[in-house]
Amino acid sequence: MYSFISSRNIRFILHEVLNAGDLNRFPFFRDYDKDAMDMAIEAAIQITSSNIYPFNKAFDQFKVTHVNGVTHVHPQLKHLIKSIAEGGWICSGASFENGGGQMPEVLSSAGRLIFYAGSCNSAYPFLTSGSANLILNFGSDELKSAFVPRMIAGEWQGTMALTEPQAGSSLSDLSTSATRTEKQGTFHISGQKIYISGGDHNCADNIIHLTLARIKGAPSGTKGISLFVVPKYKLDGSFNDVKTAGIYGKMGQKNYTAAHLMFGESGICEGYLVGEENQGLTYMFQMMNEARIGTGLLAAGNISAAYYASLKYAFERPQGRHPSNKDITTPQVLIIEHADVKRMLLLQKSILEGSIALLLQASYWADIAAHGEGFEKENAHLLLELLTPVCKCYPSEMGIISVKNAMQVLGGAGYCNDFPIEQYFREIPINSIYEGTTTIHGIDLLGRKILMKQGAALSALYVEIGKDLDAALKIEGISLYSKKLTVAVQKLQQITKHLTDLAINERPEVYLADATIYLEGFSQIVIGWIWLKQAIIAQEKITLVDAVSEQQFYSGKIQTMKYYFEYELPKYVPAFERLLSNSKITLETNPLDLL
Amino acid sequence: MKILVCVSKTPDTTAKISFNADNTEFQSAGVQYIMNPYDEWYALVRALELKETLGGTVTLINVGTADDEQVIRKGLAIGGDDAVRIDAAPKSALFVAKQISAHAKSAGYDLIMLGKETIDYNGSEVGAMVAEYMDMPYVSYATKLDIAGSTATLMRDIEGGEEEIEVDLPFVLSAAKGMAEQRIPNMRGIMMAKSKPIQVIPAVPFEDLSVVTSYELPKAKSGVKLVQPENMDELVRLLHEEAKVI
């Protein structure tokens, strides 16, 4: 067991739950069999063990400064980026011709999870990956050859520059402008962007901002937004007037810069149009599933590191005796012996492994959606679309609870910086804000995904769950949980119908008022399904293996599934009770009532 | 320059070690295996560096069953050109040395490299035995290796310092920390490894002269001892008599 991740769990999900090696039936993935995937996972762990995890505390303690136009970050970041780049993980899913490795998304996600468990700073190269993928998917050949190779090499940092002071979640209010020049495809960019992750640092030779801006004369709202490549330094090496106004001070992720950028404030800032005019948001949204799953992975990495730190502590720390033992002359027991400590660890394990299994499942669907055909492709696309809000929000929101419990396991030690938990506790909350707050995703799920194609995505999910409910019903020791989940799914169907009726009969405000609560209950049931799926495999395999360590692994899966069904799944009940209520408390609350 | 690098499969450093009921056999079920780090990080990587500067080939050799191929593939992913697997369970150091030398004798290698020891049995025996079978010079625990023409210059750790050695090719060396920096395979290497050849050959007949009669795990470490702040004398006694650090 490593200090930050379980490679056995990753292999279980990849090979035993998903059979991901089967993806090599698609010509694009022909080289990725089980052995190649295992070797890639081992390489990712080696990179993390050598160049990332040992520096995580130093990253946190480094004071990022912005002096004389240079943003100084911890120098190890350069090695971190280089090792991930040299490993072939930036744009790993791109075609060989574009400099990628044609890697399945499911394997890429597993790698990212490992890197993120080592440190949130591993997000830097994957920001670059997302930006470079935008250029590869929508940019001209000229843009591709000018920018992508050095981004893939980890020499240039990529960013996504969307948010502005007056336009956060509401991108229709975006005001950064682009003015045409005489040169085809080249514009002058003017405006400000805030909270730009990786927006400036001195461990890259150039920063390439994939920037949303409105071409002068373009329609207002989201239909008039275009996408530009805006480098900090132009290709001839001269400064492109992208100035860093400042670096935000944050409660966590200290070395992972969030910059306030000014474009063309005191000179000319060139931007190069990506694809067609006014299609910027469409392009961005085509990459959104990847980015949102990426945020879920970042959260899951954080949960993983905190869980294994608290688990280690629980196995080493003697404290107290069993309640039935009143003899204080007997030795203290390890805290792992106490029921409530086990509860806190089971809670973390259920959130962690439930999140990882869901994220890898979604990534697997992304591969099928991209390379499959016919029904298989369409079905995977629907499931991916529907569950992306859960992939983003469940690890992010439940991660906060998970890491809080990790801290509780350590007690006072968890609050002190001799142990890593306090760092993870400061780092986890931002994931519920990256790529849209949880509110936004609740609205996305209920307002868009549930309704899409007359509920086809939700129907596809019910079919998938139904298959596992049937399978579990036939397995001794698990059938009880199949029945519990069946009841939960029936409730979900009932609630969803109730809400969709509201959508027809009431204002959208009423329908969407408690969308976040719907997302919470929906997520609990989805993760219940994901746990049942894992338990089916574990129950089948536990009797077939001889090794004690393997029996323990499968036993841990079954026991954690039981914990989830007994302690976590029932939390959908109060959430759904609220959704069935006709009271409109939040809508009827006058802002002055909150004073 | 034709280099042979001997690679072993060993349990991952995090693997739980256990033996069968009568303690005569290692329980391999469920154990995650890796390439022996001394073979990988030092011998193989230095061999690749030499190939990159002097030209030539790096061949991996492993004595093991088909299960070892994942470890061999990793060596190929890091940069080895091809591999030979002697299809037999590695029963003892002498058996392994016999098999390696039987193949190497006719293949004309300029240099045979391996790690200073494997991290499972820590025997440090195979290198010397191969050299003896091959009738070649042997340098153990080498931390540095340079080659000019047909002469190699090596550094090796000795008690209290280092010594420099010159030796003519061909010879056998065991590599220790300092010889090279670890290389992690990249995705391109992993993909290319799939198409590199692994020649599987049968073992030559060999009868071991010794057998392992039993294994024993180290005694479990005692738990943490808590000493009350007012009892400093006891703390000093424990540090002096038990921990032996003062």
Side-chain angles (χ1 to χ4, degrees):
Chain A
M1 189 173 75
Y2 295 92
S3 308
F4 50 90
I5 198 85
S6 163
S7 63
R8 177 68 187 90
N9 182 52
I10 291 175
R11 284 185 284 115
F12 170 74
I13 297 165
L14 280 182
H15 303 313
E16 296 170 62
V17 178
L18 298 174
N19 191 22
D22 176 53
L23 286 169
N24 70 358
R25 67 195 153 102
F26 300 119
F28 192 79
F29 299 137
R30 62 185 175 273
D31 294 328
Y32 288 90
D33 58 11
K34 179 177 176 292
D35 287 348
M37 288 190 174
D38 284 345
M39 216 184 287
I41 293 299
E42 191 188 334
I45 288 176
Q46 276 191 305
I47 290 169
T48 310
S49 302
S50 309
N51 293 320
I52 302 173
Y53 181 70
F55 301 92
N56 195 37
K57 186 172 181 177
F59 286 139
D60 183 55
Q61 294 182 337
F62 187 83
K63 180 144 184 60
V64 174
T65 56
H66 181 70
V67 182
N68 297 330
V70 179
T71 301
H72 297 268
V73 294
H74 194 291
Q76 175 64 20
L77 180 63
K78 201 173 183 83
H79 301 292
L80 180 155
I81 294 171
K82 191 174 167 217
S83 61
I84 290 176
E86 286 180 348
W89 293 93
I90 297 181
C91 291
S92 55
S95 66
F96 293 136
E97 306 85 75
N98 281 328
Q102 299 193 178
M103 181 189 282
E105 190 64 27
V106 68
L107 180 59
S108 172
S109 290
R112 288 171 78 174
L113 173 73
I114 293 164
F115 298 134
Y116 292 162
S119 172
C120 64
N121 282 268
S122 303
Y124 275 107
F126 292 103
L127 269 178
T128 303
S129 209
S131 313
N133 278 335
L134 270 175
I135 301 174
L136 286 175
N137 287 348
F138 307 112
S140 63
D141 288 344
E142 196 182 355
L143 283 180
K144 287 181 198 173
S145 60
F147 291 97
V148 173
R150 296 195 67 180
M151 294 172 84
I152 289 180
E155 295 167 9
W156 289 358
Q157 174 69 52
T159 81
M160 302 277 201
L162 282 76
T163 306
E164 298 180 4
Q166 78 298 341
S169 300
S170 176
L171 283 170
S172 56
D173 295 315
L174 183 140
S175 69
T176 294
S177 68
T179 309
R180 288 178 205 282
T181 67
E182 289 178 355
K183 195 173 169 195
Q184 179 75 20
T186 300
F187 292 73
H188 289 164
I189 307 294
S190 176
Q192 295 192 23
K193 297 284 178 182
I194 60 171
Y195 305 137
I196 305 307
S197 296
D200 197 14
H201 65 84
N202 63 339
C203 287
D205 299 334
N206 200 357
I207 314 281
I208 313 302
H209 304 286
L210 271 289
T211 305
L212 290 182
R214 197 181 300 280
I215 295 171
K216 285 194 173 162
S220 59
T222 54
K223 289 181 180 167
I225 296 173
S226 300
L227 179 64
F228 298 88
V229 171
V230 186
K232 180 176 178 180
Y233 298 104
K234 286 186 266 193
L235 293 172
D236 63 8
S238 62
F239 183 56
N240 193 32
D241 201 39
V242 181
K243 283 193 183 142
T244 300
I247 300 293
Y248 292 93
K250 300 185 291 183
M251 70 182 275
Q253 303 198 341
K254 301 279 191 182
N255 195 60
Y256 186 46
T257 56
H260 181 160
L261 302 174
M262 298 188 300
F263 297 83
E265 283 281 309
S266 51
I268 289 177
C269 173
E270 284 189 357
Y272 313 110
L273 181 69
V274 177
E276 294 177 21
E277 293 182 15
N278 304 328
Q279 293 298 312
L281 212 53
T282 309
Y283 298 153
M284 272 292 183
F285 273 103
Q286 287 185 34
M287 310 302 288
M288 278 297 167
N289 284 340
E290 180 188 329
R292 288 168 176 172
I293 289 170
T295 302
L297 289 166
L298 188 56
N302 191 316
I303 300 166
S304 182
Y307 171 60
Y308 289 108
S310 70
L311 185 64
K312 181 172 185 284
Y313 187 86
F315 269 105
E316 291 172 352
R317 170 72 170 164
Q319 193 73 184
R321 294 163 187 84
H322 291 300
S324 57
N325 180 5
K326 306 294 181 195
D327 182 0
I328 60 163
T329 63
T330 55
Q332 299 191 86
V333 297
L334 294 174
I335 62 171
I336 190 83
E337 296 289 333
H338 297 306
D340 200 52
V341 172
K342 284 190 268 194
R343 179 191 62 77
M344 290 187 283
L345 292 164
L346 280 164
L347 178 144
Q348 292 178 65
K349 186 172 160 73
S350 71
I351 294 171
L352 171 63
E353 295 179 7
S355 297
I356 293 175
L358 174 67
L359 289 159
L360 296 187
Q361 172 72 75
S363 303
Y364 181 80
W365 284 328
D367 288 322
I368 304 281
H371 297 280
E373 285 180 1
F375 170 78
E376 183 187 39
K377 181 186 179 82
E378 175 62 14
N379 197 51
H381 172 72
L382 287 171
L383 291 164
L384 177 63
E385 284 289 317
L386 179 68
L387 293 187
T388 295
V390 183
C391 289
K392 194 277 178 187
C393 295
Y394 181 82
S396 304
E397 287 288 348
M398 295 306 292
I400 297 170
I401 292 167
S402 187
V403 180
K404 182 192 84 126
N405 277 272
M407 185 176 279
Q408 281 287 321
V409 170
L410 273 78
Y415 195 67
C416 300
N417 67 7
D418 292 335
F419 291 87
I421 306 293
E422 62 86 25
Q423 179 184 345
Y424 299 132
F425 192 68
R426 287 183 286 105
E427 289 177 342
I428 186 80
I430 185 61
N431 297 299
S432 66
I433 297 165
Y434 283 149
E435 298 300 330
T437 59
T438 304
T439 303
I440 296 293
H441 293 282
I443 293 170
D444 180 45
L445 176 67
L446 192 56
R448 207 165 70 83
K449 302 293 177 61
I450 293 291
L451 304 175
M452 67 190 276
K453 298 192 175 177
Q454 288 80 46
L458 194 58
S459 300
L461 177 66
Y462 290 148
V463 170
E464 288 298 310
I465 295 176
K467 287 181 205 165
D468 289 315
L469 289 174
D470 290 345
L473 204 55
K474 294 170 195 148
I475 301 174
E476 196 182 345
I478 292 198
S479 57
L480 168 69
Y481 302 97
S482 173
K483 290 171 191 162
K484 282 178 188 271
L485 189 61
T486 301
V487 172
V489 171
Q490 286 165 351
K491 286 277 180 198
L492 177 63
Q493 289 170 318
Q494 182 192 345
I495 290 295
T496 307
K497 175 157 191 330
H498 169 76
L499 291 173
T500 47
D501 286 347
L502 272 185
I504 297 163
N505 302 321
E506 290 268 17
R507 294 169 292 145
E509 286 84 346
V510 177
Y511 172 57
L512 295 174
D514 285 331
T516 303
I517 296 173
Y518 180 80
L519 172 61
E520 278 173 27
F522 184 89
S523 300
Q524 298 288 0
I525 292 169
V526 167
I527 298 296
W529 164 53
I530 289 289
W531 265 111
L532 191 68
K533 217 174 171 53
Q534 296 182 73
I536 290 168
I537 311 281
Q539 190 70 40
E540 284 170 352
K541 294 236 171 150
I542 195 166
T543 55
L544 303 175
V545 292
D546 295 328
V548 175
S549 60
E550 286 294 282
Q551 288 168 357
Q552 280 173 350
F553 176 80
Y554 293 123
S555 168
K557 281 287 175 195
I558 295 163
Q559 198 64 12
T560 310
M561 179 276 293
K562 288 179 181 174
Y563 165 84
Y564 186 87
F565 273 75
E566 297 289 342
Y567 284 74
E568 298 301 311
L569 180 65
K571 290 176 182 170
Y572 78 85
V573 175
F576 284 1
E577 266 178 30
R578 164 60 230 149
L579 293 170
L580 276 177
S581 166
N582 289 323
S583 69
K584 302 182 177 76
I585 297 288
T586 52
L587 287 172
E588 290 166 359
T589 298
N590 186 314
L592 298 176
D593 293 336
L594 297 166
L595 294 177
Chain B
M1 174 71 62
K2 201 173 165 188
I3 306 173
L4 182 69
V5 178
C6 313
V7 295
S8 295
K9 182 184 81 170
T10 59
D12 189 350
T13 47
T14 59
K16 214 169 186 175
I17 303 300
S18 63
F19 301 101
N20 62 356
D22 58 357
N23 286 327
T24 55
E25 222 171 85
F26 173 59
Q27 292 279 67
S28 60
V31 170
Q32 180 77 9
Y33 284 96
I34 58 172
M35 188 190 302
N36 176 42
Y38 291 109
D39 298 338
E40 177 191 333
W41 298 359
Y42 307 126
L44 174 57
V45 175
R46 185 61 190 140
L48 294 171
E49 289 170 352
L50 289 170
K51 176 190 134 178
E52 283 155 13
T53 52
L54 303 172
T57 57
V58 173
T59 298
L60 309 177
I61 187 163
N62 165 270
V63 180
T65 59
D67 290 343
D68 286 23
E69 292 209 358
Q70 198 178 354
V71 161
I72 298 171
R73 288 276 174 217
K74 186 182 180 189
L76 297 173
I78 292 171
D81 295 291
D82 58 357
V84 174
R85 180 170 68 79
I86 314 286
D87 192 18
K91 289 184 282 190
S92 69
L94 196 60
F95 176 84
V96 170
K98 176 72 184 173
Q99 302 304 327
I100 291 171
S101 55
H103 160 76
K105 260 182 183 163
S106 58
Y109 293 105
D110 300 301
L111 178 59
I112 299 175
M113 301 175 75
L114 71 171
K116 68 168 186 174
E117 61 187 356
T118 53
I119 62 165
D120 46 9
Y121 295 98
N122 303 90
S124 253
E125 299 165 303
V126 174
M129 292 171 173
V130 170
E132 180 63 21
Y133 275 127
M134 301 283 293
D135 198 19
M136 283 183 183
Y138 175 56
V139 182
S140 62
Y141 293 86
T143 55
K144 198 170 175 219
L145 165 67
D146 289 304
I147 293 175
S150 60
T151 305
T153 308
L154 300 104
M155 299 295 289
R156 69 191 288 271
D157 290 337
I158 55 171
E159 190 67 33
E162 288 182 307
E163 67 179 4
E164 186 176 308
I165 294 172
E166 263 190 20
V167 60
D168 285 340
L169 302 176
F171 69 102
V172 180
L173 82 81
S174 78
K177 187 175 179 183
M179 176 67 79
E181 292 286 327
Q182 177 191 9
R183 281 188 190 181
I184 300 169
N186 60 26
M187 289 314 303
R188 187 172 294 274
I190 290 170
M191 294 297 109
M192 285 171 64
K194 293 167 70 70
S195 56
K196 291 180 178 176
I198 300 177
Q199 184 191 357
V200 181
I201 56 177
V204 294
F206 181 78
E207 196 169 332
D208 255 321
L209 302 175
S210 62
V211 291
V212 174
T213 52
S214 75
Y215 293 102
E216 195 177 332
L217 288 171
K219 287 190 172 54
K221 287 181 184 167
S222 58
V224 172
K225 287 186 177 166
L226 296 174
V227 180
Q228 297 303 316
E230 62 273 13
N231 198 1
M232 281 300 104
D233 289 346
E234 175 63 3
L235 177 63
V236 170
R237 188 191 69 75
L238 288 169
L239 291 171
H240 183 63
E241 293 178 8
E242 292 194 12
K244 295 190 169 94
V245 293
I246 59 173

